[in-house]
């Protein structure tokens, strides 16, 4: 008998790879934070002696969600300016609040709250884009998450940096500091085509090449962004990114709501990824991303929640369900965005976009044990005829009972003392920031 740290035995396992597979009565053996075996539960009991055995007779176990686009600290401005027009929302509510509150503490504590919310909903990796990246990483890590964090570059002064040069220097220093970090993967984060100059965008491309890091960027979010790009640069945002050296396999084009056929073809040819954030696009009335067209073209698709101010939930399962529903309606095709494509987008798709799919995004031997369990025994899910389809369409984030990152339990439904003390801390933080705006 080989000794392992943990044996997770479950009624169903959705490994994501091989695609479309649902394993019945299987187990996952975990040692030193990694998955070492996936096998029938009966064989696992004969082969492995586990320090801890977790039996889940009514659950589906899957890789944790990869939230491909977040502004975690914005949990502290959740609820501001609901229903305002986009520019009023930004200029009257969000930017003034951020201007007043922005600090390392704001980012660390907000990111910690967001991390707790994400862990409770089965998110194990968050790709963040905000100011004070070191503090964002620290808050997310404190909540137990793995994270990709952007060194932001934006053409406006903030409490984090005053000039393009300072943003670029600080981004580079952050990337350098986390080059070989198993928990924090750095990215370069030019904010959006309309907020970053050609010169800075070229520098971002150069940093991405030199450090081999993904480019995390809002692209084609609104119709105005596209029309202003045509007016100011004589070309669409994707054409401009191509000219400046950013359209390649490292690009994660967040939103891509207004991508047209030629944008999608260019992204497919370049091997770029798109990150779909349907709740944010709906709440800010940005439009409907043509997801079925992206899938058809072979573009890698991931899912993101965006920040809590424009969603207002960091709920990847809910986001993915909505994405699937919308895709069908937008394409007038019920076969668009099928279950296994969408569950793959929410996990491995995000990992691929971050070039992290060798370590996370599926349940395979050798990968980190970033794993979640959802209880399907509730009346809202019964009877279970098709566990994968019901996971997507019938379950919700309250069905998540366990979230592990690298084999360590960071969330469990119920009342473990560790979780309770986190809640107390979260309440204190929330009280501290409430009404400061
Ligand atoms: Zn965003």
């Amino acid at each position: 008998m080989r000794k392992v740290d943990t044996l997770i035995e479950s009624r169903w396992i959705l490994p994501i790879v091989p695609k479309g597979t649902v394993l019945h009565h299987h187990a996952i053996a975990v040692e030193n934070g990694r998955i070492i075996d996936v096998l029938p539960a009966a064989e696992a009991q004969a082969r492995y002696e586990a320090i801890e055995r977790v039996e889940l007779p009514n659950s589906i176990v899957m890789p944790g969600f990869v939230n491909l686009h977040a502004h975690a600290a914005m949990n502290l401005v959740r609820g501001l300016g609901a229903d305002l027009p986009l520019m009023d929302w930004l200029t009257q509510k969000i930017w003034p609040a951020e201007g007043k509150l922005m600090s390392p503490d704001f980012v660390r504590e907000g990111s910690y709250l967001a991390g707790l919310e994400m862990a409770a909903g089965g998110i194990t990796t968050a790709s963040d884009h905000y100011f004070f990246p070191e503090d964002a990483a620290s808050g997310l890590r404190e909540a137990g998450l793995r994270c990709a964090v952007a060194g932001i570059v934006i053409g406006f002064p903030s409490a984090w940096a005053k000039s393009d040069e300072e943003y670029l220097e600080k981004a580079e220093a952050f990337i350098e500091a986390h080059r070989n970090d198993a928990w924090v993967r750095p990215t370069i984060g030019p904010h959006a085509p309309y907020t970053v100059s050609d010169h800075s965008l070229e520098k971002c491309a150069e940093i991405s090449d030199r450090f081999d890091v993904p480019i995390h960027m809002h692209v084609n979010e609104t119709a105005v962004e596209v029309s202003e790009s045509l007016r100011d640069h004589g070309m669409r945002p994707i054409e401009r990114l191509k000219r400046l050296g950013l359209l390649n396999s490292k690009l994660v084009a967040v939103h891509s709501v207004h991508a047209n056929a030629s944008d999608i073809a260019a992204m497919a040819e370049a091997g770029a990824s798109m990150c779909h954030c349907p709740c944010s696009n709906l709440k800010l009335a940005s439009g409907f991303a043509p997801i079925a067209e992206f899938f058809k073209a072979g573009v890698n698709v991931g899912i993101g929640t965006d920040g809590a101010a424009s969603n207002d939930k960091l709920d990847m399962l809910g986001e993915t369900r909505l994405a699937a529903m919308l895709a069908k309606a937008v394409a007038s095709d019920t076969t668009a965005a099928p279950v296994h494509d969408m569950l793959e987008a929410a996990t491995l798709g995000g990992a691929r976009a971050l070039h992290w799919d060798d370590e996370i995004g599926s349940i395979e031997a050798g990968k980190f044990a970033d794993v979640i369990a959802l209880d399907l025994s509730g009346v809202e899910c019964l009877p279970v005829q098709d566990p994968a389809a019901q996971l997507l369409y019938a379950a919700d984030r309250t069905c998540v009972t366990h979230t592990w990152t690298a084999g360590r339990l960071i969330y469990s439904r119920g009342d473990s003392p560790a979780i309770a003390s986190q809640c107390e801390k979260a309440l204190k933080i929330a009280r501290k920031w409430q009404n400061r705006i």
Side-chain angles (χ1 to χ4, degrees):
M1 294 270 272
R2 178 172 170 183
K3 280 208 167 137
V4 292
D5 296 327
T6 314
L7 208 54
I8 302 166
E9 299 170 25
S10 183
R11 175 66 185 82
W12 301 282
I13 294 177
L14 180 81
I16 302 294
V17 175
K19 190 168 180 170
T21 306
V22 177
L23 304 169
H24 293 248
H25 301 291
H26 269 58
I28 301 169
V30 177
E31 194 175 57
N32 293 328
R34 294 198 184 253
I35 297 164
I36 60 157
D37 208 349
V38 182
L39 71 172
E43 278 178 40
Q45 286 157 22
R47 194 176 304 173
Y48 297 109
E49 188 187 327
I51 294 168
E52 187 193 17
R53 202 172 141 205
V54 183
E55 291 170 275
L56 303 164
N58 302 304
S59 298
I60 186 160
V61 163
M62 63 179 287
F65 294 113
V66 177
N67 184 357
L68 190 54
H69 180 61
H71 308 285
M74 292 187 86
N75 267 45
L76 294 179
V77 292
R78 170 148 52 198
L80 279 191
D83 307 328
L84 286 179
L86 175 62
M87 284 322 288
D88 293 351
W89 176 74
L90 280 174
T91 58
Q92 293 172 18
K93 293 292 178 181
I94 299 299
W95 290 343
E98 287 181 329
K100 193 170 160 191
L101 301 174
M102 188 62 64
S103 69
D105 276 359
F106 174 82
V107 174
R108 192 183 60 256
E109 296 185 353
S111 300
Y112 171 68
L113 289 194
L116 293 183
E117 182 189 352
M118 289 196 256
I123 295 167
T124 50
T125 299
S127 177
D128 202 60
H129 193 296
Y130 210 56
F131 305 95
F132 296 95
E134 204 62 75
D135 297 283
S138 146
L140 290 165
R141 284 291 307 116
E142 195 182 343
L145 264 72
R146 200 180 298 285
C147 50
V149 178
I152 187 176
V153 178
I154 185 168
F156 301 108
S158 68
W160 167 241
K162 299 292 173 232
S163 64
D164 286 11
E165 286 66 36
E166 193 181 355
Y167 276 107
L168 287 160
E169 271 167 30
K170 286 186 162 179
E172 204 173 314
F174 175 74
I175 292 167
E176 182 82 58
H178 292 280
R179 279 182 96 169
N180 298 307
D181 190 329
W183 287 96
V184 181
R185 185 156 285 204
T187 64
I188 183 79
H191 172 261
Y194 59 96
T195 52
V196 187
S197 69
D198 280 7
H199 177 71
S200 290
L201 285 173
E202 279 173 337
K203 288 275 179 198
C204 288
E206 190 266 314
I207 289 171
S208 165
D209 283 347
R210 181 151 45 95
F211 292 98
D212 196 22
V213 293
I215 303 162
H216 183 177
M217 184 174 189
H218 302 90
V219 183
N220 275 328
E221 180 173 2
T222 65
V224 172
E225 175 190 330
V226 179
S227 61
E228 288 186 352
S229 179
L230 287 165
R231 182 193 68 198
D232 299 340
H233 304 283
M235 62 190 88
R236 298 176 59 82
I238 284 287
E239 291 175 279
R240 180 162 161 247
L241 295 185
K242 185 175 182 180
R243 186 170 58 83
L244 298 172
L246 291 98
L247 183 62
N248 55 49
S249 66
K250 307 265 179 49
L251 178 68
V252 184
V254 178
H255 298 305
S256 293
V257 170
H258 294 277
N260 69 8
S262 73
D263 293 335
I264 294 172
M267 285 173 65
E269 198 191 328
S273 293
M274 81 81 80
C275 174
H276 187 28
C277 307
C279 277
S280 174
N281 301 153
L282 291 175
K283 190 169 181 236
L284 299 178
S286 303
F288 307 101
I291 288 303
E293 301 305 316
F294 276 105
F295 276 128
K296 245 186 252 165
V299 173
N300 177 52
V301 174
I303 311 277
T305 59
D306 213 345
S310 66
N311 187 311
D312 292 355
K313 301 177 180 190
L314 310 183
D315 173 6
M316 278 290 287
L317 183 54
E319 200 79 29
T320 309
R321 177 180 189 268
L322 177 67
M325 301 276 192
L326 273 178
K328 293 170 195 303
V330 169
S332 300
D333 178 3
T334 56
T335 68
V339 168
H340 287 281
D341 283 6
M342 294 313 291
L343 293 171
E344 180 181 323
T347 52
L348 191 58
R352 272 195 209 111
L354 296 170
H355 293 242
W356 217 344
D357 51 316
D358 56 335
E359 305 248 59
I360 58 171
S362 61
I363 294 182
E364 292 180 90
K367 287 198 177 183
F368 282 122
D370 290 7
V371 173
I372 63 171
L374 297 98
D375 179 6
L376 299 186
S377 70
V379 73
E380 73 280 4
C381 294
L382 291 174
V384 181
Q385 322 271 14
D386 181 336
Q390 285 167 255
L391 164 67
L392 181 61
Y393 292 129
D396 62 47
R397 68 172 168 178
T398 64
C399 298
V400 173
T401 57
H402 299 72
T403 303
W404 290 271
T405 50
R408 186 171 79 86
L409 193 64
I410 61 165
Y411 169 78
S412 74
R413 196 168 68 180
D415 51 0
S416 96
I419 306 295
S421 73
Q422 283 196 328
C423 285
E424 230 170 81
K425 187 175 169 192
L427 280 175
K428 256 192 215 153
I429 292 172
R431 278 197 211 105
K432 172 180 159 186
W433 291 98
Q434 193 154 350
N435 303 324
R436 275 212 194 171
I437 294 156

